[in-house]
Amino acid sequence: MSSRSGSESSAHEDDHTTFSSLAEYIDHSKHDPEKVVEVSPNGRYAKLNSVLGKGAYKIVYKGIDREEGYEVAWNCFQTTKQEYAELSQEVEILKRVRHPNIINFHDCWYSNTEFIFITELMTSGTLREYIRKLQSPNLRVVKRWCRQILKGLIYLHSYDPPIIHRDIKCDNIFINGAHGEVKIGDMGTAKMKIGKKYTVIGTPEFMAPEMYEEKGYSEKVDIYAFGMCLLEMVTGDYPYNECKNAAQIYKKVSQGLKPECLSRIIDPEVLSLIQHCLAPEHERYSAQEAIEDPFLGVEPEVVVLTSNEAKNHLTLQVVFKGMDKLSVKFEFNADTDTAEEVVNEMIEEQVLPQRYQRIITHDINRILRELAGTGDKKDIAGFTPSSPMLTNGHSHGAVSQLTLDGSVTSPLSQVPRNGTSLSRKNSNPDWGGEMELPFKEYSMDAPIEDLVNDTAMAYHRGPDKANEWLAKLKNQDIVTIGDLKDMQDSDWAGFDLTVFASRALRNRLFGKRPHTLTRASSNGTTTSTTDDGN
Ligand SMILES: Nc1ncnc2c1ncn2[C@@H]1O[C@H](COP(=O)(O)OP(=O)(O)OP(=O)(O)O)[C@@H](O)[C@H]1O
C-alpha cells in the first residue's frame, strides 16, 4: 500500500503524546488507528490506520473527508492500470448514482497497483452480521429492510439501460444501526446492461440459473438474489448450506432445486414473495412488483385531521398503518370536490400509486357519508354528523389539492393538474413522497443540474424524470441557478413542468415552501396568492 511522507509528518505534528524513545513513538504510531497513513492525490481524503474489513477482493479502511469533516470508507482493490482504465465508464455512472438506499460513491483514482475508491461509511456492519446478532429478526424488521433494499433496486433498475448490481447478498447490504437504515453496497461489480452480459460473476448461492448459463441475463438476477437474502433473513441460514461446494450448488440450481431452508418457512406471505423472486426469469417479479407484494404492501386508510364547523372544509390524510412516515395529507372541499377527482389527480401526479385508487376513493366517500350523517360514525373521532352536505358521497366543482405545504385548494375543472403534491412532513417515500434532505444553498452560477438531480432524488423520481425536467428548463435557456432565481411565477408557468415538479424544484431552490393559496371565487374564477413572493 502506498503512503505519502507528507501526510505522515502532518500526523506526527498533530500527535501530542510524549514518548521516552523513538522506538516507542514508532511502535505507538503503528497501532494508532487515527493515524493518517495516506492522502488522496487531490488532498481531500485521508486514509487512517484502521481496517474496517477485508473481503475476497478488497481491503476497506476508515478514512476522513477533510473538506467536509466526516468519516468515509477508503476501499483498496488490487488491479492493473489497464483494468482501471476500462472501468472509467462505469465509474462515471457510479458517481451519478445517488439514492438513500445505495452507498454513495464519492471519488476514485489509481495508485500503485490499486484502484482506490472512497464511499460512504456504514457504521453497523453488514446485514449478515446483523442477522446473526439478532438471531431471528421479527417480520416487521424484515419488512423494513426489504422495502429499503427494493427501493435501492428500483432506482438502479430504472436507469436506461438498467444498472445491474450482480452481487446482491446480505454481506453486501449495510446497516446504520441508530435508524435501521439499510443501503446496498459493493457496487464495484455493478455493470450497465448493454444488451446482455455474459460474464459469470457473483456468489454461487445467490446466482440466478441464467447467470450460470452464459446466455445472457437481465436485472432480474438482482431480484433472484434478493429472494435468497429474504430467505436468509427469515431463516437465519445461508442458502444452500447443505452443499459443500460451488459445483454442488450449481447442480441444484440447474436442476431447479431450491435451498433446503425454504421448506422451513411457515408464513405463506413470506413464502409466496420468495417464490416469486426465485421463479424463472420470465415469471420473476420486477423490483417494483416485489415491493408491491402483499407481504410488503400496506393498505391505506383515510382519516379526518381537521374540519371547520360546517364540516365542508376538511383536512384528510391517507395513512399507511404501521409505517410512521408514510402518509399523504390534503385539503378537501366537500361542497365542490369529489373523491374520484381528488384521487385521480393524486394518481396522475404520482403522489399515490394507481393500485390504491379504489380503496382510497371508497374511504373518502365513506367519510363524506359519515359526516353527512348517512353512514357509520365510528371512525370519525370528534365528529358528529352535520346537516347533510352530500347525499351520495359525490359533489361537484372544485377539488382540493394535495400540497407541498398542505394548503392549496382550487377547482380542478378550472386549473387542471394544479398543485397536487405532498405535504412535506407527511410524505411517502415509497412512491414519490419527499424524503428529508437537508436544505442546500446553491450558488448563483451553479448548474441547474445540481438542483434538478437533488430534487428528483428527494422526491424519489428516477434519472429519467430529472432529465425530463432538465430538458424543459434548458429549452427556456435556464442554465444556472441564477437564471432560475430570476424567474417570476408567470415564467415558471411557461416551463411546461407539472405543478408538482415546479413546486418541488422551487421548494428546494428557496428552501421553504411557497405558501400558495388558490381559491375558487364566487364567480368561478381562480385566484392565487403567495406569501413568499414566488
Ligand atoms: N462502506 C463501508 N462501510 C463500512 N465497512 C465497510 C464498507 N464497505 C466494506 N466494509 C467492510 O469491509 C468488508 C469487506 O468489504 P467487501 O465485502 O465489500 O469486500 P469484497 O472483497 O468486495 O467482498 P466479497 O468478498 O463479498 O466479494 C466488509 O465485510 C465490511 O466489513
Side-chain angles (χ1 to χ4, degrees):
M1 223 117 311
S2 66
S3 74
R4 286 159 191 262
S5 52
S7 58
E8 284 186 14
S9 63
S10 67
H12 187 175
E13 281 154 23
D14 292 343
D15 195 340
H16 300 299
T17 319
T18 48
F19 301 97
S20 54
S21 68
L22 180 62
E24 195 186 330
Y25 169 73
I26 291 170
D27 192 52
H28 168 85
S29 308
K30 260 196 242 153
H31 299 109
D32 178 6
E34 295 305 309
K35 182 177 150 67
V36 173
V37 291
E38 190 175 340
V39 176
S40 64
N42 63 6
R44 175 167 177 171
Y45 301 101
K47 172 176 149 189
L48 301 181
N49 195 18
S50 167
V51 176
L52 293 170
K54 288 181 189 174
Y57 301 97
K58 61 180 196 273
I59 305 183
V60 186
Y61 294 83
K62 197 195 268 187
I64 301 265
D65 177 343
R66 306 205 290 192
E67 234 166 66
E68 297 292 334
Y70 51 65
E71 291 177 330
V72 291
W74 174 297
N75 302 257
C76 302
F77 190 93
Q78 286 290 332
T79 188
T80 62
K81 193 150 197 181
Q82 157 99 21
E83 277 169 343
Y84 172 68
E86 284 165 9
L87 279 174
S88 65
Q89 201 193 355
E90 279 168 26
V91 162
E92 282 317 305
I93 293 157
L94 288 180
K95 282 186 182 166
R96 289 210 319 263
V97 169
R98 285 281 175 273
H99 188 273
N101 299 115
I102 295 176
I103 289 189
N104 262 350
F105 183 98
H106 296 306
D107 200 1
C108 69
W109 62 93
Y110 188 77
S111 165
N112 244 354
T113 74
E114 282 181 335
F115 169 33
I116 298 174
F117 57 101
I118 304 296
T119 59
E120 191 177 345
L121 177 86
M122 296 299 278
T123 54
S124 304
T126 68
L127 194 54
R128 162 140 320 124
E129 290 157 4
Y130 229 71
I131 293 169
R132 300 288 173 268
K133 233 187 291 178
L134 289 182
Q135 305 263 297
S136 51
N138 74 41
L139 284 188
R140 204 169 46 84
V141 175
V142 169
K143 284 184 193 191
R144 218 173 46 220
W145 288 342
C146 287
R147 287 192 197 103
Q148 295 186 60
I149 300 166
L150 287 168
K151 279 184 218 165
L153 289 180
I154 290 170
Y155 172 83
L156 291 178
H157 296 175
S158 74
Y159 270 78
D160 184 17
I163 297 177
I164 311 175
H165 185 285
R166 305 198 300 170
D167 199 14
I168 294 288
K169 55 180 175 176
C170 294
D171 307 89
N172 285 338
I173 295 164
F174 292 82
I175 304 226
N176 267 343
H179 308 290
E181 203 181 31
V182 169
K183 300 193 185 216
I184 298 171
D186 206 7
M187 291 289 296
T189 46
K191 280 264 179 194
M192 295 298 283
K193 185 194 129 203
I194 302 160
K196 287 267 190 176
K197 290 279 168 244
Y198 294 89
T199 331
V200 175
I201 187 166
T203 306
E205 290 84 346
F206 293 76
M207 279 164 57
E210 65 270 21
M211 279 184 102
Y212 289 97
E213 283 166 10
E214 300 196 7
K215 290 189 196 141
Y217 53 81
S218 70
E219 68 278 8
K220 292 277 186 84
V221 299
D222 289 343
I223 304 303
Y224 180 93
F226 163 79
M228 288 295 180
C229 290
L230 174 55
L231 182 58
E232 188 177 345
M233 287 180 222
V234 289
T235 62
D237 276 358
Y238 204 67
Y240 291 114
N241 226 352
E242 61 278 13
C243 295
K244 289 195 180 65
N245 51 44
Q248 286 186 3
I249 297 169
Y250 169 63
K251 198 166 163 208
K252 289 218 172 193
V253 173
S254 55
Q255 290 172 349
L257 295 174
K258 302 288 182 281
E260 275 178 10
C261 56
L262 188 66
S263 62
R264 298 213 327 264
I265 294 185
I266 305 157
D267 187 308
E269 281 193 340
V270 180
L271 186 61
S272 160
L273 173 54
I274 295 176
Q275 281 168 335
H276 277 104
C277 295
L278 302 187
E281 187 181 9
H282 62 283
E283 291 167 22
R284 197 177 301 152
Y285 269 169
S286 66
Q288 185 63 45
E289 285 166 338
I291 210 168
E292 289 173 9
D293 181 88
F295 174 62
L296 299 178
V298 270
E299 289 295 280
E301 180 187 37
V302 183
V303 295
V304 183
L305 293 184
T306 63
S307 162
N308 63 348
E309 212 166 317
K311 298 186 175 54
N312 56 351
H313 285 109
L314 313 173
T315 306
L316 304 181
Q317 190 165 19
V318 180
V319 182
F320 291 81
K321 280 188 224 154
M323 302 184 75
D324 306 347
K325 283 182 128 186
L326 304 190
S327 62
V328 179
K329 190 166 87 179
F330 58 102
E331 305 298 315
F332 193 95
N333 182 337
D335 291 339
T336 48
D337 297 348
T338 72
E340 287 74 9
E341 284 171 328
V342 172
V343 173
N344 283 344
E345 174 108 351
M346 292 192 246
I347 290 165
E348 195 181 330
E349 290 287 355
Q350 297 175 7
V351 173
L352 283 175
Q354 173 85 40
R355 66 184 181 281
Y356 296 132
Q357 180 176 32
R358 200 188 54 78
I359 187 165
I360 294 176
T361 308
H362 180 271
D363 229 21
I364 295 175
N365 282 330
R366 171 188 59 81
I367 286 172
L368 296 175
R369 274 197 308 276
E370 287 166 355
L371 285 173
T374 56
D376 182 352
K377 298 169 273 184
K378 70 179 178 337
D379 287 329
I380 312 173
F383 285 87
T384 49
S386 62
S387 57
M389 296 182 292
L390 299 162
T391 50
N392 58 0
H394 291 250
S395 64
H396 303 285
V399 171
S400 303
Q401 302 303 310
L402 279 170
T403 66
L404 287 173
D405 56 7
S407 63
V408 178
T409 56
S410 59
L412 182 70
S413 53
Q414 292 158 0
V415 190
R417 299 171 61 78
N418 55 347
T420 299
S421 50
L422 277 177
S423 152
R424 180 182 286 263
K425 271 223 276 307
N426 301 292
S427 58
N428 184 344
D430 262 354
W431 45 82
E434 184 188 0
M435 68 176 193
E436 304 279 339
L437 276 195
F439 172 61
K440 190 157 127 192
E441 189 67 59
Y442 297 93
S443 66
M444 295 296 267
D445 57 356
I448 50 164
E449 275 84 348
D450 292 357
L451 169 78
V452 170
N453 290 335
D454 287 352
T455 308
M457 183 170 111
Y459 288 90
H460 298 267
R461 298 309 202 257
D464 291 349
K465 198 41 93 180
N467 288 337
E468 183 190 312
W469 296 347
L470 212 46
K472 287 182 175 170
L473 291 171
K474 290 205 163 165
N475 268 347
Q476 306 295 324
D477 286 333
I478 307 291
V479 179
T480 65
I481 295 293
D483 295 340
L484 209 47
K485 279 200 169 162
D486 285 345
M487 294 297 140
Q488 304 296 313
D489 257 2
S490 53
D491 300 319
W492 278 87
F495 289 161
D496 194 27
L497 292 162
T498 65
V499 177
F500 170 82
S502 173
R503 269 169 204 280
L505 286 164
R506 279 197 278 181
N507 280 356
R508 272 208 83 68
L509 182 62
F510 297 107
K512 67 176 198 165
R513 292 158 238 166
H515 185 83
T516 309
L517 287 168
T518 311
R519 287 189 205 90
S521 67
S522 52
N523 64 7
T525 57
T526 305
T527 55
S528 296
T529 55
T530 63
D531 68 357
D532 61 359
N534 296 306

